[in-house]
């Protein structure tokens, strides 16, 4: 048979799958994200992949994005059909807090790294299944404002550590938007927020059309809304620019104070990496204060790489409590897949975690290869034994093809020493499995 | 509002969800399983949660167990309906190998730790969503027999390390079963294997009824089958017992040689923890040689805690290649949930990963708390800052309730030293955030 005759199974659009050498990098990212979350004391939780549809639909997300389950032979009245795969980790988290309220210590700070699913048409940066890495805090009655600054600070630290290239975490405050619109005498500020969120997609003219047309705003109100959305910056001049537009309301003042606090708290971060952007609205209905949205600066039209915000009424809506929260989510798959596609990830020849391949000198000495490997493993090394006594060249080639940095040779006859070969330098030296240490490999 | 008035969202049957203190233990298990897999050089892969139904149905699993996807507003002819959530990790792995054949180095050794789904009626030990931890090897044309022994050896090491209590990994060989039945002159050995697999559920009489009744076996053939299924043991006497039953065939001889090899190779493991059990058949059709099935000895009627086997034709069935494989799967959720329910897990007061809680002395000194925490974090510690300047007792109580072992006090006035309190001993001593090391905590 030749390769040409092989009919391979085809990938399913909207679902990612990586080769081992790429997965190795993704796993390293996941480890570093988790380490950072834990460094700040967030605890891990996981929720089921499904939620009751009622819970999923409690707040705002359009229902067409949800996948429901059906047993292959279940028929129409299947109770499983009332279960949907979660489309984010915030709604399941809010449900979790409500459900386990009496067993949690507040403020409850958790991280959650899981896959989520959306029944969307796949396109660049949009997947049907992808991994999100979320941190959130929910507390009873109030969540201190310092979290509004801490959330993007932690994500900034992580994205910098992951070396994803230039990025910016942009933020806004829903109270500023709503308060500003109210100050202009607009009766339905929520509809204006939803329209303003489309600015990226349909442009200023498109939004203006909705505002004056469908929503019946005056020319002056529309002008105000668009002027507000044009404001962005990294210092307190942003606040002044908003004030200069002349709208006034208590809510606006409150929102501006919060916006100023976040700007101020993050002033030490590198220029341009954190930015107030008054055009950000976020589509999800549950946000009520600070909102976040991250961008890869080299790919300005590419989707948001992290997002989140403050939600006052999400967890509390499941039970009769005031349970405000705030959180931020790193779009792991979205960032990783983009950098991979752009050739920006350091994919090298390493296709497995092994530090060492132990050669099998002969059938008679296979057991010796096994005990040698066991000794090395007991000292923390990652060690493969070649799977059979084979030509030496073939065994070494296997290590080379998998990118295993060291090949170990148990003695081929009694009285001879063990030897180890550095696959990068080609150097081969005597070594003792009981005390050899693996040099750091780049 | 009182707690009595709260109506909590209810758990969904068949899906697990853990409190933070339990998740902390599950995560430790997952880490140790992964570390062990990597110590043996297995590389990580993940596959999408869904497969094309054709691929899922390629081999033997009953179709009613599969969940298919549907978009909430997708309608009947939705293409997503041809996608099913995977019910194990072996079939997706085989498909992966076939699909990426040209990009992999063989023998391809991977581990895969993912959730799987089955549309089953939930009962003790059976979940609709659960996590499996698999290792498998697939090679072109042949997989050396030494893997038949290495697979259960690795799992034995892991389960011992996890301290799950007494367990046994039992194994058999499909060739022995099929060869034995053929030697008795039975025309359809596969049907007999399927009947024999029900021994646990319907007992000897039930199986005998199927064999003599539906399958038309003679009394003598039936007696032979049942005698075979009664054999178990930890040494070569097992082989003799099978031979004494008088059936003969080439396939039986081959199977017995393989069985003897595995028994022999694992003879050094603790008495009773590895056992040949000639009653094991495994329901899945794709197994062709060695098969595994693990049991918690304290709960003999509880389901299998690990399982797997050798499959000659699974990956190869997707493309025209000979791609035999062998693997074993740890039923993480099944083991973990059982030990949790039995009170056998060391759930202690620790509800988060934090080593240290830094107290906020006052609003003025909140920044000092922040820089103190940053210093400790930069030295590898996991550190929470209390979320606001609050009564000291309240801050300490928060640490106590979350099980954080150390509380850090930045100086409450200039010129005073930092201090740290050991929450277990109650001792409080001066300390420097730049060089304090966290004592190991049990």
């Amino acid at each position: 048979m030749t390769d040409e005759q092989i009919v391979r199974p085809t990938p399913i659009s909207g679902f990612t799958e990586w080769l081992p050498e790429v997965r190795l990098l993704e796993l390293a990212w996941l480890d570093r994200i988790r380490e950072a979350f834990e460094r700040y004391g967030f605890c891990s939780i996981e929720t089921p992949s499904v939620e009751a549809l009622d819970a999923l639909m409690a707040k705002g997300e359009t229902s067409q994005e949800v996948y429901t389950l059906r047993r292959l032979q279940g028929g129409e009245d299947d109770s499983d059909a009332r279960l949907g795969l979660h489309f984010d980790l915030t709604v399941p988290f809010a449900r979790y807090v409500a459900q386990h309220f009496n067993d949690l210590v507040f403020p409850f700070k958790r991280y959650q790294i899981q896959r989520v699913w959306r029944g969307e048409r796949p396109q660049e940066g949009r997947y049907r299944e992808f991994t999100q890495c979320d941190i959130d805090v929910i507390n009873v009655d109030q969540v201190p404002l310092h979290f509004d600054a801490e959330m993007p600070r932690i994500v900034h630290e992580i994205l910098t550590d992951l070396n994803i290239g230039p990025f910016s975490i942009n933020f806004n405050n829903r109270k500023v938007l709503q308060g500003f619109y109210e100050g202009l005498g607009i009766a339905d500020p929520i509809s204006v927020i939803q329209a303003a969120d489309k600015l990226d997609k349909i442009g200023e003219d498109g939004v203006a059309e909705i505002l004056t047309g469908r929503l019946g705003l005056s020319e002056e109100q529309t002008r105000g809304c668009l002027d507000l959305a044009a404001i962005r910056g990294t210092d307190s001049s942003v606040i002044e620019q908003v004030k200069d537009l002349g709208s006034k309301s208590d809510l606006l003042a409150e929102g501006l104070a919060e916006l100023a606090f976040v700007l101020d708290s993050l002033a030490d971060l590198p220029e341009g990496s954190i930015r107030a952007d008054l055009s950000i609205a976020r589509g999800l209905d549950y946000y009520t204060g600070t909102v976040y949205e991250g961008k890869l600066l080299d790919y300005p039209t590419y989707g948001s790489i992290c997002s989140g915000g403050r939600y006052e009424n999400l967890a509390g809506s499941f039970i009769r409590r005031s349970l405000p929260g705030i959180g931020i989510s790193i779009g792991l798959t979205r960032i990783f897949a983009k950098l991979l596609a752009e050739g920006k990830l350091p994919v090298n020849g390493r296709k497995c975690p092994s530090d060492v391949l132990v050669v099998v000198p002969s059938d008679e000495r296979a057991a010796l290869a096994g005990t040698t490997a066991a000794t090395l493993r007991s000292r923390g090394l990652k060690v493969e034994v070649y799977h059979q006594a084979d030509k030496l060249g073939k065994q070494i080639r296997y290590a080379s093809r998998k990118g295993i940095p060291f090949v170990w040779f148990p003695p081929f006859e009694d009285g001879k020493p063990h030897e180890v070969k550095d696959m990068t330098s080609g150097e081969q030296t005597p070594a003792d499995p009981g005390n050899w240490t693996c040099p750091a490999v780049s």
Side-chain angles (χ1 to χ4, degrees), chain A:
Chain A
M1 281 183 290
T2 67
D3 279 0
E4 285 68 39
Q5 291 174 305
I6 292 170
V7 182
R8 284 183 200 79
T10 50
I12 303 172
S13 101
F15 293 80
T16 61
E17 180 166 88
W18 310 129
L19 287 172
E21 54 269 38
V22 175
R23 169 65 184 162
L24 209 57
L25 298 177
E26 186 187 39
L27 204 50
W29 278 35
L30 286 164
D31 285 343
R32 287 160 84 165
I33 292 169
R34 172 184 161 189
E35 278 163 27
F37 288 167
E38 294 190 349
R39 207 152 57 228
Y40 283 84
F42 289 81
C43 70
S44 168
I45 70 160
E46 285 197 346
T47 57
S49 299
V50 304
E51 296 285 332
L53 277 181
D54 294 350
L56 283 182
M57 295 298 125
K59 290 274 168 180
E61 185 72 7
T62 54
S63 55
Q64 64 186 3
E65 293 190 347
V66 172
Y67 278 121
T68 59
L69 297 192
R70 186 155 63 152
R71 274 184 286 163
L72 196 53
Q73 305 189 333
E76 268 314 304
D77 62 351
D78 188 346
S79 69
D80 294 323
R82 268 176 294 249
L83 302 177
L85 290 169
H86 54 218
F87 56 81
D88 76 359
L89 301 175
T90 310
V91 172
F93 171 56
R95 192 268 313 148
Y96 179 99
V97 170
Q99 186 171 323
H100 303 288
F101 181 78
N102 287 336
D103 295 311
L104 303 176
V105 179
F106 291 92
F108 182 56
K109 300 159 72 171
R110 79 88 176 85
Y111 73 89
Q112 194 168 347
I113 300 177
Q114 283 186 251
R115 297 175 179 220
V116 305
W117 293 266
R118 295 187 189 175
E120 292 185 299
R121 186 176 300 278
Q123 49 178 296
E124 199 203 12
R126 291 216 180 261
Y127 299 94
R128 292 183 169 178
E129 174 177 60
F130 52 101
T131 299
Q132 290 198 323
C133 311
D134 285 35
I135 42 175
D136 284 82
V137 182
I138 285 181
N139 198 18
V140 180
D141 296 334
Q142 58 95 14
V143 173
L145 200 58
H146 100 88
F147 285 112
D148 295 55
E150 189 177 49
M151 292 288 155
R153 180 183 288 282
I154 294 171
V155 169
H156 186 279
E157 179 179 320
I158 291 170
L159 296 182
T160 303
D161 175 55
L162 293 180
N163 201 17
I164 65 166
F167 67 89
S168 162
I169 302 175
N170 307 317
F171 68 98
N172 194 2
N173 192 301
R174 280 272 182 104
K175 290 178 188 169
V176 171
L177 295 179
Q178 191 170 344
F180 183 88
Y181 301 150
E182 282 175 13
L184 292 183
I186 295 170
D188 180 8
I190 297 294
S191 295
V192 179
I193 288 178
Q194 284 164 353
D197 191 46
K198 300 197 169 72
L199 201 59
D200 254 14
K201 286 170 200 142
I202 62 176
E204 255 199 21
D205 291 350
V207 173
E209 212 173 289
I210 296 178
L211 297 183
T212 51
R214 193 148 57 80
L215 300 178
L217 269 57
S218 72
E219 288 283 322
E220 203 187 329
Q221 287 171 327
T222 298
R223 191 67 261 152
C225 294
L226 293 174
D227 285 347
L228 181 71
I231 295 173
R232 53 212 65 186
T234 58
D235 58 38
S236 56
S237 68
V238 168
I239 310 297
E240 297 313 314
Q241 287 177 63
V242 177
K243 286 182 178 163
D244 287 349
L245 294 179
S247 174
K248 277 204 179 92
S249 74
D250 290 349
L251 193 61
L252 174 59
E254 194 181 320
L256 284 177
E258 293 181 7
L259 200 69
F261 174 86
V262 177
L263 267 173
D264 227 43
S265 305
L266 300 175
D268 60 307
L269 292 180
E271 176 73 25
S273 61
I274 298 274
R275 202 173 54 152
D277 179 338
L278 281 289
S279 75
I280 294 174
R282 300 300 305 154
L284 293 166
D285 286 349
Y286 51 68
Y287 293 121
T288 52
T290 301
V291 284
Y292 312 106
E293 189 171 280
K295 286 287 189 177
L296 290 171
L297 296 180
D298 288 345
Y299 312 103
T301 62
Y302 193 67
S304 176
I305 58 166
C306 65
S307 64
R310 180 178 273 265
Y311 41 91
E312 299 291 323
N313 312 311
L314 188 56
S317 69
F318 291 104
I319 54 177
R320 280 176 291 160
R321 287 269 183 180
S322 166
L323 290 172
I326 182 167
I328 192 163
S329 172
I330 298 174
L332 177 93
T333 304
R334 183 173 280 177
I335 305 172
F336 188 83
K338 180 65 176 171
L339 297 189
L340 179 68
E342 298 288 341
K344 297 284 175 71
L345 292 182
V347 182
N348 53 33
R350 194 126 188 202
K351 293 177 195 285
C352 65
S354 308
D355 302 310
V356 177
L357 175 77
V358 176
V359 151
V360 177
S362 61
D363 283 331
E364 296 70 39
R365 288 179 178 258
L368 176 62
T371 55
T372 302
T375 303
L376 292 168
R377 281 188 198 114
S378 73
R379 299 181 46 246
L381 292 160
K382 296 170 181 163
V383 183
E384 267 186 81
V385 179
Y386 195 73
H387 52 284
Q388 59 195 9
D390 219 329
K391 282 182 192 147
L392 205 53
K394 206 170 162 191
Q395 299 192 48
I396 295 172
R397 197 158 61 247
Y398 172 82
S400 163
R401 293 182 65 207
K402 286 186 79 173
I404 301 175
F406 294 92
V407 175
W408 193 280
F409 302 87
F412 279 52
E413 46 190 285
D414 289 341
K416 292 288 171 72
H418 290 260
E419 294 194 356
V420 63
K421 182 188 180 78
D422 180 331
M423 294 293 283
T424 311
S425 69
E427 204 181 344
Q428 187 166 330
T429 48
D432 177 349
N435 63 29
W436 180 77
T437 53
C438 184
V441 177
S442 64

